Amino acid sequence: MAAHSPAHRRVPLVVATVIVLGLAGCSMGPTAPGTGHGGGEANLRLPDLSQAVVAGGVDGRVLLMVGMVISLVGLVFGLVTYLGLRRLPVHEAMREVSELIYATCRAYLAQQGRFLAILWLFTASVIFVYFAFLVGTPIGNTLVILAFSLLGMAGSFGIAWFGIRVNTFANGRTSFAALRGRPYLLHQIPLRAGMSIGTVLISLELFALLTILLVLPGHLAGACFIGFAIGESLGASALRIAGGIFTKIADIGSDLMKIAFKIKEDDARNPGVIADCTGDNAGDSVGPSADGFETYGVTSVALVTFIMLAVSPAVVGDAVESTQATLLVWLFFVSAMMILASLASYLVSSWVTWKRDAGAGEMDFERPLTRLVWTTSLVSIVVTFATSAVLIPDLGDGTAWWKLAGIMSCGTLAGALIPELVKVFTSVHSKHVHEVVKSSHSGGASLNILSGLVAGNFSGLWLGLAIVFLMAIAYLVSLTGLGELMVAPGVFAFGLVAFGFLAMGPVTIAVDSYGPVTDNAQSIYELSTIEDLPDVDADVRARYGFDPQWEHAKGLLEQNDGAGNTFKATAKPVLIGTAVVGATTMIFSIMMGLTDGMTANIDKLSLLYAPFLLGLITGGAIVHWFAGASIQAVTTGSFRAVEFIKDNIKLDGVVKASVADSRRVVEICTQYAQKGMFNIFLGVFFATLAFAFTDPFFFIGYLVSIAIIGLYQAIFMANAGGAWDNAKKIVEVDLDAKGTALHDASIVGDTVGDPYKDTSSVALNPVIKFTTLFGLLAVELGVSLRASDAHTLVLVLAGASLVAALVFMWRSFYGMRIDEPMLTREQVASGRGA
């Protein structure tokens, strides 16, 4: 089962070489280099932004340079906040654990970086063939596009690394702050860490996008946007999949020891706990950071692509370039203003929290986070309308400014409304979560699981209706005159709704990052064994000037972890909703190219066209394969982790597990995370090529299907998992029932929910976007080859890619199964099966 055997390492390199040679060879036949044919969405020429008519005549390029300055302000804020966290006091016993967690995270990320480089070869081969041979882009420009795809991947990877560094500073400091017995400090530190990550993430993304807009020539900028977005999606997909597998192997392996050995939460003698803490960062910090970075960029690229395709001479006549430039400048300057809106909202909300809770002994940790989300949403809406009124008062018939602002504000409102709906199903105050606890009391793990499934399914109904309601409002507004600016204004409205989701990006990422810090803080308290240190009370009093409140500190850490669980859950549907709504815009861009601007082949976008219908059916199959494959990797990895921990845990005569045993559990988690990610990602990669080459309208149906079915699958799994997670928290904190049968039942439910909420559901988001973006190139490659009478060649490529996809899908289960013989009656009777 070793993931790093020589044969295993050779497979991706050999396959990548075959792809490059095969695609290059077939492309050079029908479309010789330099012909310049094709290109479609990825060969868009962006307009001169100085033609933008904004703010009564201000040069659009100058305005976007101001946006770059705002991005730099956000970066400075994030970095200053990060440095402030480093200076906070922390006991060396806790700092040692934090640094051990960071060291294991760093080793994990370095390994993931090497895997990403291999996966990039697959994607880069198709990008290179597409631009160099199909479009006829000069080699120098093609290399620039490849460089931006690499930069996009590096951006996702880099912000993920920054996220774990910030969080592993904050976790130990939060744990130490708990000893003061003041809950305000426990709230403030994780939120500061989250705002540092959120503002750096959004500001860095916006700075990169503005650099492409302002520095690169218009004929190259569009292609670099696509390359950058594909690189981001590649990085986020791999890190989300691998991180989700890693964290849940570790979490399940650690949690099951509480049942097997009746030990406490985060017992320092359990060698799985360090891996669990590493996994909190690998899954709940690395994944969301990379995902958020990619989501913002891909949604922006989708809207840029739409503007360039839908604003055409047939609609606006000779004013096409000025209209395109005006919309681009408006879109990105509003993005910059949203950074300031988020920072202002954070400062105001923090001041209110300080006034209310700074001296309190008890605190509802969810309340200030909820206040921050709503404050940011409302402030962002006001800023959107104000900025639009100043920038584009004369666009269209003079009413477009408030219509565009209103449509975007539907998404911004969703960014606050969706978390409220998620809390109905996942909060420690939720009646659904209480139902899970009550079911567990009499029905054990069975009814616990069933009640969680009910919560997840009901959440799909209400969140789905909320998203549809807000999208419907946006669509109705788009019908009131935006058709004078573009083709299919309703689709543009959906894209703006997705962009509005991201308007409060720094805060959305901040409340999501709150969770891994609070989770780690609780673990660090136990792992540090600080209470057992000689003369620790006197030491803390002499060095830090306060008397530690041990029991109160543990209670506060538990309560804060419950709030972290809730707000980790709230960010997931926001990101998946953005992916689906944004993918709609990108799918339309593909449709525009296939129908020659909606003038031909419209009949093939119908259920009456069999390939389109078959594509819809196929998408559902792939979503369910993905969910099963990712959980399979968690299952097998957890089996190995549990096996090792059971054989090596020492409970007598030791205070802590050995570092060697802890590192071995981390290695097991890494091994199965990489192997699972490798099989799953290449299955997605080759399936995208196969379906894009098979029939372009089949592929459109496929994209629509994975977006819609993936949305509901992700919402269901994320919220069912959130309900199970906080049901366990209620049992442990509110009911103080650790070590009881009720606690065991809640642990079983939580271990089922772990891969639901943190592996399968969250990874669907970047997978949907990667498939759509990468498919944009693949489908154009297939169409171009067919136009050159290379039908047989396309069928061969489709068949070969399908075979490759099926191989990796087969490997995702049959290559990941638990390779142990079935138990015999004698083994079960002797207890060896326990």
Side-chain angles (χ1 to χ4, degrees):
M1 296 294 290
H4 306 300
S5 65
H8 183 83
R9 287 197 297 265
R10 287 197 298 268
V11 169
L13 297 177
V14 171
V15 176
T17 303
V18 170
I19 291 174
V20 175
L21 295 177
L23 286 177
C26 72
S27 297
M28 289 181 66
T31 309
T35 60
H37 298 303
E41 296 92 334
N43 199 35
L44 298 173
R45 176 181 288 273
L46 298 187
D48 180 358
L49 297 177
S50 61
Q51 298 182 54
V53 183
V54 293
V58 176
D59 188 306
R61 293 182 63 84
V62 172
L63 206 58
L64 291 186
M65 288 178 185
V66 174
M68 293 187 80
V69 172
I70 294 174
S71 299
L72 292 175
V73 170
L75 285 170
V76 169
F77 172 86
L79 293 174
V80 168
T81 304
Y82 157 74
L83 294 173
L85 288 168
R86 289 187 64 176
R87 290 193 291 268
L88 291 177
V90 58
H91 193 278
E92 59 266 22
M94 292 176 168
R95 185 176 60 245
E96 286 174 7
V97 179
S98 292
E99 290 304 307
L100 176 59
I101 293 169
Y102 175 65
T104 56
C105 287
R106 185 176 57 199
Y108 164 77
L109 267 183
Q111 192 81 339
Q112 290 307 106
R114 291 190 284 271
F115 256 67
L116 271 176
I118 293 171
L119 294 177
W120 180 77
L121 291 175
F122 288 87
T123 308
S125 66
V126 177
I127 295 174
F128 180 80
V129 167
Y130 177 83
F131 284 103
F133 299 115
L134 171 62
V135 181
T137 303
I139 292 297
N141 288 351
T142 301
L143 293 178
V144 171
I145 297 166
L146 284 175
F148 271 95
S149 75
L150 190 59
L151 185 63
M153 186 183 74
S156 289
F157 184 78
I159 198 67
W161 198 303
F162 178 74
I164 64 163
R165 180 65 280 190
V166 171
N167 283 348
T168 49
F169 274 138
N171 54 16
R173 286 149 179 83
T174 302
S175 189
F176 183 69
L179 298 180
R180 295 178 182 270
R182 293 170 55 196
Y184 170 73
L185 294 176
L186 272 73
H187 160 78
Q188 181 199 38
I189 296 172
L191 187 57
R192 285 175 64 187
M195 283 301 297
S196 174
I197 297 168
T199 50
V200 167
L201 184 155
I202 299 297
S203 299
L204 183 63
E205 176 71 52
L206 182 60
F207 188 86
L209 295 175
L210 290 177
T211 299
I212 294 174
L213 270 177
L214 294 174
V215 175
L216 296 178
H219 70 275
L220 187 56
C224 288
F225 265 129
I226 298 293
F228 186 75
I230 290 176
E232 289 178 300
S233 288
L234 167 63
S237 297
L239 290 171
R240 261 298 198 186
I241 294 169
I245 295 170
F246 182 107
T247 183
K248 294 304 105 178
I249 292 173
D251 200 355
I252 292 170
S254 179
D255 276 356
L256 289 179
M257 294 306 103
K258 292 185 287 186
I259 298 176
F261 295 104
K262 297 299 179 184
I263 56 178
K264 62 184 179 180
E265 181 90 15
D266 301 317
D267 194 301
R269 298 169 297 176
N270 182 353
V273 175
I274 288 295
D276 188 14
C277 293
T278 302
D280 288 337
N281 289 283
D284 295 335
S285 178
V286 168
S289 298
D291 193 355
F293 186 79
E294 173 250 7
T295 296
Y296 192 91
V298 171
T299 305
S300 301
V301 170
L303 283 169
V304 170
T305 304
F306 182 95
I307 289 169
M308 299 309 300
L309 290 172
V311 179
S312 64
V315 182
V316 296
D318 295 336
V320 59
E321 287 208 5
S322 63
T323 304
Q324 289 172 341
T326 299
L327 286 170
L328 289 174
V329 170
W330 168 76
L331 183 70
F332 283 101
F333 192 75
V334 168
S335 302
M337 293 301 294
M338 291 303 99
I339 294 175
L340 298 181
S342 293
L343 291 178
S345 301
Y346 165 68
L347 294 174
V348 169
S349 180
S350 295
W351 180 81
V352 172
T353 304
W354 174 73
K355 291 290 287 183
R356 289 186 176 184
D357 299 307
E362 297 291 339
M363 178 178 174
D364 180 353
F365 289 104
E366 289 188 13
R367 185 180 63 193
L369 295 174
T370 300
R371 182 191 308 121
L372 172 61
V373 169
W374 276 103
T375 300
T376 307
S377 179
L378 296 176
V379 170
S380 297
I381 289 171
V382 171
V383 170
T384 300
F385 274 93
T387 305
S388 300
V390 172
L391 289 187
I392 52 172
D394 302 320
L395 182 65
D397 62 1
T399 64
W401 70 269
W402 67 262
K403 294 171 184 174
L404 293 173
I407 291 169
M408 185 180 289
S409 295
C410 287
T412 308
L413 181 61
L417 180 60
I418 287 177
E420 288 300 310
L421 291 173
V422 171
K423 285 193 286 183
V424 170
F425 300 96
T426 63
S427 169
V428 291
H429 307 299
S430 161
K431 291 183 179 179
H432 281 279
V433 176
H434 292 173
E435 180 81 0
V436 176
V437 176
K438 288 185 284 187
S439 295
S440 308
H441 184 260
S442 297
S446 297
L447 292 190
N448 173 289
I449 292 169
L450 290 176
S451 293
L453 294 175
V454 170
N457 280 304
F458 269 100
S459 73
L461 168 68
W462 295 111
L463 267 72
L465 290 179
I467 293 172
V468 169
F469 176 71
L470 292 167
M471 289 178 68
I473 293 175
Y475 171 69
L476 292 174
V477 173
S478 74
L479 297 179
T480 61
L482 292 186
E484 298 176 6
L485 291 175
M486 64 191 68
V487 177
V491 178
F492 185 59
F494 295 158
L496 283 183
V497 169
F499 206 76
F501 270 75
L502 300 169
M504 45 195 286
V507 167
T508 299
I509 298 298
V511 297
D512 184 63
S513 296
Y514 191 94
V517 174
T518 59
D519 199 349
N520 266 196
Q522 184 182 1
S523 300
I524 285 171
Y525 184 96
E526 299 289 351
L527 289 169
S528 68
T529 62
I530 188 171
E531 288 183 78
D532 299 327
L533 297 178
D535 300 320
V536 66
D537 289 78
D539 179 54
V540 170
R541 189 182 308 114
R543 295 170 58 189
Y544 301 104
F546 67 90
D547 292 312
Q549 301 181 35
W550 304 109
E551 292 305 316
H552 189 43
K554 286 185 278 191
L556 290 175
L557 287 169
E558 291 266 21
Q559 293 169 33
N560 203 20
D561 187 30
N565 289 340
T566 299
F567 277 86
K568 278 191 298 186
T570 64
K572 293 179 176 72
V574 172
L575 290 174
I576 187 63
T578 306
V580 171
V581 179
T584 303
T585 311
M586 187 62 74
I587 292 168
F588 176 79
S589 300
I590 300 174
M591 290 164 56
M592 285 284 288
L594 293 176
T595 60
D596 196 17
M598 293 297 177
T599 61
N601 294 320
I602 301 298
D603 60 309
K604 294 182 178 179
L605 297 171
S606 163
L607 295 179
L608 298 177
Y609 184 62
F612 180 78
L613 177 60
L614 292 173
L616 291 173
I617 297 170
T618 304
I622 294 299
V623 168
H624 284 275
W625 158 73
F626 178 86
S630 51
I631 293 177
Q632 177 63 49
V634 171
T635 302
T636 306
S638 297
F639 178 89
R640 292 300 177 201
V642 167
E643 191 176 50
F644 177 83
I645 295 170
K646 278 186 174 181
D647 289 343
N648 292 275
I649 191 170
K650 298 177 180 65
L651 300 179
D652 298 324
V654 297
V655 177
K656 293 183 180 181
S658 72
V659 173
D661 284 347
S662 296
R663 289 189 183 276
R664 177 55 189 148
V665 179
V666 172
E667 289 172 5
I668 292 171
C669 296
T670 302
Q671 173 185 341
Y672 285 93
Q674 289 181 338
K675 190 171 183 180
M677 178 267 288
F678 182 80
N679 289 327
I680 292 169
F681 181 84
L682 289 183
V684 170
F685 176 90
F686 284 114
T688 303
L689 283 178
F691 299 150
F693 286 150
T694 297
D695 181 284
F697 295 97
F698 172 95
F699 189 61
I700 293 292
Y702 170 72
L703 292 179
V704 171
S705 180
I706 63 167
I708 295 174
I709 296 175
L711 170 68
Y712 286 101
Q713 179 80 359
I715 289 174
F716 154 68
M717 298 184 85
N719 291 329
W724 284 314
D725 197 3
N726 267 343
K728 185 187 74 167
K729 189 60 60 178
I730 289 173
V731 171
E732 292 174 342
V733 179
D734 296 354
L735 303 182
D736 192 22
K738 292 181 180 180
T740 65
L742 176 61
H743 189 218
D744 290 350
S746 70
I747 291 171
V748 172
D750 184 40
T751 56
V752 174
D754 278 337
Y756 264 50
K757 65 184 174 65
D758 291 326
T759 306
S760 298
S761 64
V762 292
L764 277 166
N765 173 19
V767 164
I768 288 170
K769 286 176 290 185
F770 175 81
T771 300
T772 306
L773 270 169
F774 183 64
L776 186 152
L777 302 186
V779 79
E780 288 235 10
L781 181 57
V783 169
S784 176
L785 290 172
R786 280 194 174 89
S788 303
D789 294 324
H791 299 280
T792 303
L793 208 52
V794 176
L795 290 176
V796 170
L797 284 172
S801 297
L802 180 60
V803 169
L806 292 174
V807 166
F808 284 106
M809 290 176 184
W810 184 89
R811 283 164 54 100
S812 70
F813 173 67
Y814 292 97
M816 296 292 294
R817 285 186 301 180
I818 299 170
D819 58 348
E820 295 286 326
M822 189 63 184
L823 295 171
T824 64
R825 288 185 179 184
E826 292 74 17
Q827 287 176 318
V828 173
S830 66
R832 291 177 61 188

